[in-house]
Amino acid sequence: MHWQRSVPRALAAAAVPAVLLASSLTPASAGEAGSPRPGKAVFVLDSGSGRFASDKTSLTGHGAAVKQLATYLGKATDTQLLAAGGQKVIADITLANSPVKDERAAWAASSHFVDLSWPNLGSGRYTVYRNGVKIADTTGHSLRDTAVSAGSEVDYRISGEASGLGHTWGLTATVPRGDDTATLARTAQQVEARARRYTKTAVVWRSFIRQKWATIPTALRGISGCKYTKGFKYRGDNHGFSSKVTGPSFRASLRGVVYWTKSPYDLFPETGVTRVYNKDGVEVDRRKASTKGIDFRTKTRFDGKTRAVHAQIEATDPFCPSGGARRAGIGVFYDARLARNGDFYVSGKYRKAPDHEMYLYGYTSGSSHTTKTVHQSRMQSLMCLSQPSCERGTIGNSGGY
């Protein structure tokens, strides 16, 4: 592997801290039974500079400066070997190198812990998940997870709400088998090699009605402006959440694809057929909504490591007003930073009807891919299909379902 590598002259590290102080974490309500409670991170990313700095409040008696032992700039990822207080780690700084502060996040791992860092955007609380299981709520913007095994890969999500938006970071940490410099260097090579396997990332958003049938709410019938209200019903999609790339029916869908070996990207907007039936169950009309309001585009140039994208999904009931105060339909927007190694940042909002789901698919070849769940939310009320009737929700890992 041909990497650019830089090694500082000063490799000396401070003494090992004896005791870590208590953190601002609260116990997780759905954590894994018997797992150690997450603690205070030592290797903490400064989101302002995108560099690691020691969190001195976590050390007893003195601080221990984080020193860079080596930096590896790969074609697919960027990693560093770091030392502090006698501890050595491998750190992935691919997202940390983002030019946008809000997107920066990183992990640093030894054979027996993973330190996670993300920006402090002003959220009152951030929720952290390990392999889909909630492990902590915290008011801080870093933590240490010791419930890991040497040689494993651990998938993390961090979600919070700030400035009226949901913010979610996804980090997949590679836990090294040992903490000596040679093993950490080999782990950095493994991280790069794993990321290079991915040729493209597909982002899929689907909005669907899980019920078999849906009707215009009574409170909206007289003011909705829809063609079919009292005495009519609409065919739903009749299914729950599904992580399949294609197949499940939907009211609106957006699949955007970025490639890691070439600059062009693809956009696949779709809407489902809306079918209307009378009280006797006879189909009286069918129509597809327009896809003109469904868009996906890249915001940054191709570099083979990360790509910023923006998307919106605006689709109305084809038998209801498409604009104005009586507009009825789906409304979603998100901004994301996608990394070739599978890490990501997503921020956005959505109208709370119908059901919604968002997934990232990392392709290695053909149809072979990994799947990451970014958002799932269940409809609270069909009243939300009418624009003035409910506030938008914030996109996040738990999604409020």
Side-chain angles (χ1 to χ4, degrees):
M1 300 169 65
H2 300 288
W3 293 0
Q4 298 175 350
R5 183 184 184 209
S6 60
V7 183
R9 294 182 180 179
L11 302 181
V16 178
V19 181
L20 298 180
L21 296 179
S23 74
S24 59
L25 298 170
T26 57
S29 60
E32 296 177 353
S35 294
R37 177 180 172 181
K40 196 75 172 179
V42 171
F43 296 89
V44 178
L45 182 73
D46 176 6
S47 61
S49 65
R51 298 179 180 180
F52 276 90
S54 178
D55 184 351
K56 296 184 179 181
T57 63
S58 69
L59 306 176
T60 298
H62 61 277
V66 174
K67 298 184 181 296
Q68 297 179 13
L69 305 184
T71 297
Y72 301 97
L73 302 179
K75 291 184 177 181
T77 58
D78 295 330
T79 54
Q80 290 182 331
L81 269 59
L82 307 173
Q87 300 172 331
K88 294 181 181 179
V89 298
I90 171 70
D92 191 311
I93 57 171
T94 308
L95 274 186
N97 285 335
S98 168
V100 181
K101 176 183 175 181
D102 290 0
E103 300 172 348
R104 294 171 184 165
W107 58 264
S110 77
S111 62
H112 54 282
F113 67 79
V114 175
D115 280 358
L116 302 173
S117 303
W118 59 93
N120 184 3
L121 303 183
S123 173
R125 187 173 299 275
Y126 296 94
T127 302
V128 182
Y129 302 83
R130 180 205 308 121
N131 296 331
V133 177
K134 179 180 173 181
I135 61 171
D137 286 317
T138 178
T139 57
H141 53 102
S142 65
L143 63 77
R144 170 167 292 188
D145 181 19
T146 58
V148 297
S149 301
S152 65
E153 288 185 357
V154 190
D155 188 51
Y156 293 98
R157 301 285 189 281
I158 303 104
S159 292
E161 182 175 331
S163 302
L165 294 174
H167 303 271
T168 296
W169 297 267
L171 299 170
T172 299
T174 299
V175 183
R177 296 186 179 277
D179 300 334
D180 58 283
T181 301
T183 300
L184 295 177
R186 285 194 298 270
T187 304
Q189 293 177 330
Q190 293 167 6
V191 171
E192 169 73 6
R194 182 176 67 84
R196 286 196 188 188
R197 292 174 56 223
Y198 293 102
T199 58
K200 63 182 180 180
T201 297
V203 189
V204 172
W205 182 284
R206 275 189 295 263
S207 300
F208 62 96
I209 297 175
R210 71 173 49 231
Q211 293 82 0
K212 186 176 181 179
W213 300 101
T215 59
I216 301 295
T218 302
L220 293 178
R221 287 175 183 172
I223 61 174
S224 68
C226 297
K227 182 177 180 179
Y228 300 101
T229 56
K230 185 177 181 180
F232 296 95
K233 58 184 179 180
Y234 294 76
R235 172 76 72 175
D237 296 296
N238 196 30
H239 65 76
F241 298 123
S242 172
S243 60
K244 292 181 179 180
V245 181
T246 60
S249 63
F250 47 79
R251 300 302 85 218
S253 173
L254 171 60
R255 179 163 58 97
V257 183
V258 297
Y259 298 89
W260 299 116
T261 57
K262 58 184 180 179
S263 180
Y265 65 93
D266 285 325
L267 160 67
F268 303 93
E270 294 184 78
T271 55
V273 177
T274 299
R275 293 179 169 88
V276 186
Y277 296 77
N278 63 21
K279 61 182 179 180
D280 297 321
V282 177
E283 183 176 323
V284 297
D285 210 342
R286 65 168 62 187
R287 194 180 297 174
K288 267 195 170 187
S290 171
T291 61
K292 289 183 179 179
I294 303 178
D295 189 32
F296 176 92
R297 62 187 62 190
T298 59
K299 302 193 299 180
T300 56
R301 293 181 178 180
F302 168 80
D303 68 4
K305 296 180 184 180
T306 71
R307 205 82 188 264
V309 301
H310 172 79
Q312 67 176 37
I313 302 97
E314 293 287 343
T316 60
D317 185 322
F319 299 108
C320 298
S322 60
R326 296 189 297 178
R327 179 196 183 279
I330 297 162
V332 178
F333 76 87
Y334 66 79
D335 290 285
R337 169 76 62 169
L338 310 175
R340 186 173 182 176
N341 61 11
D343 293 350
F344 66 87
Y345 163 78
V346 173
S347 176
K349 301 187 78 169
Y350 66 99
R351 190 166 291 116
K352 296 180 180 179
D355 288 23
H356 304 285
E357 56 188 1
M358 180 179 183
Y359 304 98
L360 300 182
Y361 304 96
Y363 284 84
T364 53
S365 62
S367 61
S368 179
H369 64 268
T370 60
T371 303
K372 294 193 175 184
T373 301
V374 180
H375 176 85
Q376 291 176 331
S377 59
R378 294 189 63 163
M379 175 171 58
Q380 296 181 354
S381 169
L382 277 171
M383 294 288 287
C384 282
L385 287 173
S386 176
Q387 184 167 274
S389 298
C390 72
E391 296 181 358
R392 290 193 176 191
T394 56
I395 295 173
N397 184 64
S398 60
Y401 65 95

